[in-house]
Amino acid sequence: QKEVEQDPGPLSVPEGAIVSLNCTYSNSAFQYFMWYRQYSRKGPELLMYTYSSGNKEDGRFTAQVDKSSKYISLFIRDSQPSDSATYLCAMKLGGGSNYKLTFGKGTLLTVNP
Amino acid sequence: NAGVTQTPKFQVLKTGQSMTLQCAQDMNHEYMSWYRQDPGMGLRLIHYSVGAGITDQGEVPNGYNVSRSTTEDFPLRLLSAAPSQTSVYFCASSPGGTNEKLFFGSGTQLSVL
């Protein structure tokens, strides 16, 4: 079993839809959870970062972490064509300055106008 | 502010050739790393550095060498290219400490024939 599982999609939705992207993980030592957005032929960029269970909101984006279920989600409200990208979940172990991240495979999202 | 700069953007090699992928950052970041991204595999850590003169192996280090003689530069060397090294390579940097955010370059697409 991979440490981080992410459905690669592709996911296609109409503009304005609510999008739900998910990852599961097996290592309970993961403490920090991130979502990166990657446009075609570009490097990933950090979208959301959280280290606790519960929800974190930033504009149209909400990151949700459920450590008991080892499950994280990213919700996009009122999705826009500019949200079309690959979304990567990433996790890291707690403690120290360990910055090595374990990434999911990414989910390709297309928002159709 | 240039951020993380990778060169070249594209490269084609023949099996057995060697080359160096260049990475430079102008943000005075302590941490730098190299990832490769393959379809269906996600981002995998090759090598990383926690400061000038200090490097360590990541998840998939075989066939690659790195050095970190300055804070700004972190080149990745392919010693004898193999078709299995065909991939997109990303360099990333991070301020370090408690700041876990990774800043990625725009990538180098490498094909080994």
Side-chain angles (χ1 to χ4, degrees):
Chain A
Q1 181 187 9
K2 295 281 187 183
E3 276 194 305
V4 179
E5 299 277 5
Q6 182 177 9
D7 187 340
L11 184 62
S12 181
V13 302
E15 183 175 354
I18 296 174
V19 176
S20 173
L21 304 167
N22 310 296
C23 287
T24 59
Y25 61 96
S26 58
N27 189 346
S28 58
F30 284 132
Q31 296 287 328
Y32 299 87
F33 306 91
M34 287 141 275
W35 286 95
Y36 280 80
R37 177 175 62 194
Q38 184 177 20
Y39 291 115
S40 180
R41 295 190 176 86
K42 300 289 185 184
E45 56 178 340
L46 183 66
L47 197 59
M48 299 286 284
Y49 175 95
T50 183
Y51 57 86
S52 60
S53 285
N55 294 351
K56 180 178 181 179
E57 192 172 313
D58 183 1
R60 296 185 295 110
F61 299 90
T62 299
Q64 188 176 80
V65 175
D66 183 346
K67 289 186 178 179
S68 63
S69 300
K70 299 190 183 70
Y71 188 89
I72 69 170
S73 298
L74 177 71
F75 297 97
I76 307 174
R77 290 185 301 280
D78 187 25
S79 56
Q80 303 295 310
S82 59
D83 295 328
S84 297
T86 296
Y87 290 80
L88 302 149
C89 64
M91 309 178 187
K92 86 169 205 58
L93 302 174
S97 57
N98 178 3
Y99 76 115
K100 292 182 287 183
L101 300 183
T102 300
F103 284 87
K105 295 178 183 180
T107 299
L108 177 61
L109 170 67
T110 301
V111 181
N112 301 299
Chain B
N1 190 347
V4 179
T5 302
Q6 289 184 239
T7 55
K9 292 191 182 301
F10 303 94
Q11 183 70 49
V12 179
L13 292 178
K14 294 181 179 179
T15 297
Q17 286 185 316
S18 63
M19 79 158 294
T20 299
L21 307 185
Q22 301 292 342
C23 176
Q25 53 92 7
D26 61 0
M27 298 173 282
N28 200 32
H29 285 172
E30 287 186 54
Y31 298 135
M32 296 187 74
S33 54
W34 277 101
Y35 287 84
R36 59 178 290 173
Q37 187 173 38
D38 302 290
M41 299 293 289
L43 283 160
R44 293 181 292 168
L45 182 65
I46 304 171
H47 285 286
Y48 67 98
S49 168
V50 299
I54 306 170
T55 64
D56 205 347
Q57 297 181 348
E59 182 185 354
V60 287
N62 292 340
Y64 308 95
N65 270 0
V66 292
S67 60
R68 183 100 179 268
S69 56
T70 67
T71 300
E72 294 77 20
D73 300 301
F74 191 43
L76 177 72
R77 279 180 286 276
L78 280 70
L79 308 174
S80 177
S84 61
Q85 293 178 305
T86 293
S87 187
V88 180
Y89 292 84
F90 288 100
C91 178
S93 72
S94 171
T98 57
N99 188 334
E100 310 295 345
K101 181 176 180 178
L102 280 180
F103 294 79
F104 283 86
S106 57
T108 295
Q109 187 170 328
L110 175 68
S111 294
V112 182
L113 306 177

